[in-house]
Amino acid sequence: MSPSWWPARTGAIGVADADPGIFAGMASVPEVGVVDAADLDSRLRAADTPFVVRGLVKNWPLVEAGRRSGREARAYLLDHHRGLAFTVSVGTPGSDGRLFYDNAMAMNFQTLRATLPDIFQRIDAIEGKAGAPPVYLASIDMHQFFAGLYEANHVDLGDRTCLASIWIGTRTRISAHNDLPHNLACVAVGRRRFTLFPRDQFRNLYLGPIDNTPAGRAVSMVDFHAPDFDRHPRFAEALAHAQVAELEAGDALYIPAMWWHHVEGLAEFNVLVNYWWRETPRWLGSPQDALNHALLAIRDLPADQKAHWRDMFDHYVFENTDDVAAHIPEEGRSVLAPLTPDSAGRIRAFLLRSLSQ
C-alpha cells in the first residue's frame, strides 16, 4: 500500500518532451568556451545577458553516475546524504509535470516531509510509468543536507560568496519566474530546457500573485505548452525577446539577476546544481520587501498623493543625486549618506518598530 503522502494511482497521460511549438522559433542562448576558472570568472563579470558553457561540469562524479542511469545517480546521492528529512513537492497524476495553481488558485501539489531513501524508493517505483505524478525537491542546501557532495561536485567561482543548491526531481515544469541573485545553473543528471526573457518583459508574462506563489517568487500564468493568446495576447511580444537553451548533463547556463526563466526537467530523472550570488552586500534589504510595503502604504492612495510619493522615491532612491543631502552637514546625514552595515541596521530596526505598532 502506498504511504499517505504518495498519490494512490497514476493517470493515462504521461509527460513527454513538449512538441517544439513555441520553442521552435526562439533564438538560442549564446554559447561560450571556457578555458579555466579565471576565464569563467572574467566572463561572468563582463556578462549582462545569459550564456551557455557546454561540458563545464562533465567530469563531476554525479554527472558520471547519472550517465549510467537514474538509479546510479540516486545511489550516489544516497551515499552522501546526512539522513535529514527533506521537503518534497508531489504533484497530481496526469498533470504534465506542471507544478502550478489549481482552478481555485491553490497549489496543484502537496508539500510533504520524507527521508531521501523513501523519496527515491517512490521514484524508482514510478520511473517510466505514464501519468506518474511529478516529484520535486527544490533548492536543497548542499552543505546542510549532504556530506562531501559539494566538495566532489562544484565549480570554482573565485571569491564569490555563493549559496550552492541542488534540485532533484522527475519530469517537471516550473513556470517562468525570476530571482534576485545571479545564477549559474549546472545540469548534473538528465536534461533541462530553459526559456529566458529579459527583465523588462514582466508585463508580457502575465505574472500571478506576489504573495501566493508556488515557491516564493511571482510566476507567469501562461502555460508554455499551450499558450492562450486570446487570454494573454502580450505573451507574443515576450516570445519575440525569448531565448531557449536545451542542456545535457555536464552543461551550465548563466542567468543574470532578475532574468525570467521557465525551467523544464525533460528526462525521467533530473538533477541540477546551481550557485546564487549577489554583487551587493548581504546587509542590504530586499527590493521585494520594499515593493510589498509599497503595495501596503502607497498603491491605494489618492492619485495626487501617489504622484508626490513617486517624486519622493525618484529624489531619494532612483535619482539620488549628490545634491540630495549636500545642504546637510556631512556628519549629520544619517541614512542619507552612503549606507554601511551600521546604518542599514538602523533602518531595519526602525522599520521593525514602525511595522509592529
Side-chain angles (χ1 to χ4, degrees):
M1 179 178 295
S2 298
S4 59
W5 62 270
W6 194 258
R9 64 179 181 84
T10 59
I13 303 173
V15 182
D17 288 4
D19 183 274
I22 65 169
F23 307 102
M26 288 182 190
S28 296
V29 176
E31 299 183 13
V32 303
V34 169
V35 176
D36 53 24
D39 188 17
L40 176 62
D41 176 72
S42 71
R43 289 185 181 277
L44 291 171
R45 293 186 189 280
D48 57 6
T49 57
F51 62 80
V52 169
V53 184
R54 299 288 180 190
L56 180 69
V57 299
K58 64 182 180 182
N59 294 324
W60 281 2
L62 177 56
V63 173
E64 293 172 352
R67 286 201 184 103
R68 293 191 291 272
S69 70
R71 286 178 183 264
E72 289 273 355
R74 293 192 285 277
Y76 180 85
L77 291 170
L78 287 174
D79 285 343
H80 291 82
H81 88 291
R82 296 184 183 274
L84 302 174
F86 286 72
T87 298
V88 57
S89 299
V90 182
T92 54
S95 62
D96 192 30
R98 194 181 188 206
L99 300 175
F100 191 63
Y101 299 99
D102 62 19
N103 291 335
M105 290 297 290
M107 300 305 143
N108 72 343
F109 55 90
Q110 303 175 64
T111 302
L112 309 152
R113 298 282 288 173
T115 65
L116 196 61
D118 193 28
I119 295 167
F120 283 176
Q121 181 182 4
R122 303 302 179 255
I123 291 177
D124 287 342
I126 64 171
E127 193 166 43
K129 292 187 177 179
V135 180
Y136 196 48
L137 295 89
S139 194
I140 305 298
D141 187 302
M142 291 181 72
H143 294 286
Q144 180 180 356
F145 285 85
F146 294 91
L149 184 65
Y150 173 85
E151 289 75 12
N153 304 269
H154 76 278
V155 176
D156 182 355
L157 289 171
D159 60 0
R160 292 173 179 81
T161 300
C162 298
L163 173 63
S165 298
I166 188 167
W167 310 67
I168 304 168
T170 59
R171 295 182 186 264
T172 52
R173 290 200 288 141
I174 307 303
S175 298
H177 61 284
N178 72 3
D179 300 301
L180 299 179
H182 300 295
N183 183 357
L184 183 69
C186 305
V187 176
V189 181
R191 295 183 295 122
R192 263 183 165 79
R193 178 193 286 127
F194 288 80
T195 311
L196 298 102
F197 304 85
R199 298 163 181 158
D200 63 4
Q201 289 302 305
F202 66 93
R203 293 179 180 86
N204 299 326
L205 291 173
Y206 294 90
L207 301 181
I210 65 172
D211 57 333
N212 174 33
T213 70
R217 301 291 298 162
V219 303
S220 172
M221 300 298 290
V222 179
D223 184 346
F224 280 34
H225 282 197
D228 183 343
F229 290 103
D230 291 330
R231 189 173 184 182
H232 306 124
R234 294 193 309 276
F235 185 58
E237 177 64 19
L239 290 177
H241 299 272
Q243 300 179 32
V244 65
E246 294 204 13
L247 305 182
E248 302 289 338
D251 296 340
L253 168 67
Y254 171 59
I255 306 173
M258 303 301 291
W259 271 64
W260 303 92
H261 47 287
H262 178 273
V263 188
E264 299 173 79
L266 300 175
E268 294 285 346
F269 184 66
N270 304 275
V271 179
L272 181 86
V273 172
N274 86 302
Y275 304 88
W276 274 319
W277 70 93
R278 296 178 65 178
E279 294 174 346
T280 52
R282 287 179 174 269
W283 41 262
L284 285 183
S286 167
Q288 186 65 55
D289 290 342
L291 176 60
N292 294 345
H293 195 191
L295 291 173
L296 171 68
I298 297 175
R299 185 193 62 185
D300 295 336
L301 291 175
D304 62 324
Q305 294 184 36
K306 286 173 68 173
H308 167 72
W309 282 107
R310 183 193 299 271
D311 287 344
M312 292 282 280
F313 270 70
D314 283 343
H315 181 67
Y316 284 109
V317 178
F318 297 108
E319 295 172 0
N320 189 33
T321 57
D322 291 341
D323 63 356
V324 166
H327 59 286
I328 303 173
E330 188 169 349
E331 65 275 12
R333 291 175 185 174
S334 187
V335 297
L336 294 182
L339 286 177
T340 65
D342 287 343
S343 58
R346 290 201 302 274
I347 293 178
R348 186 172 286 105
F350 177 80
L351 287 172
L352 288 171
R353 290 195 302 271
S354 299
L355 291 170
S356 65
Q357 294 175 356

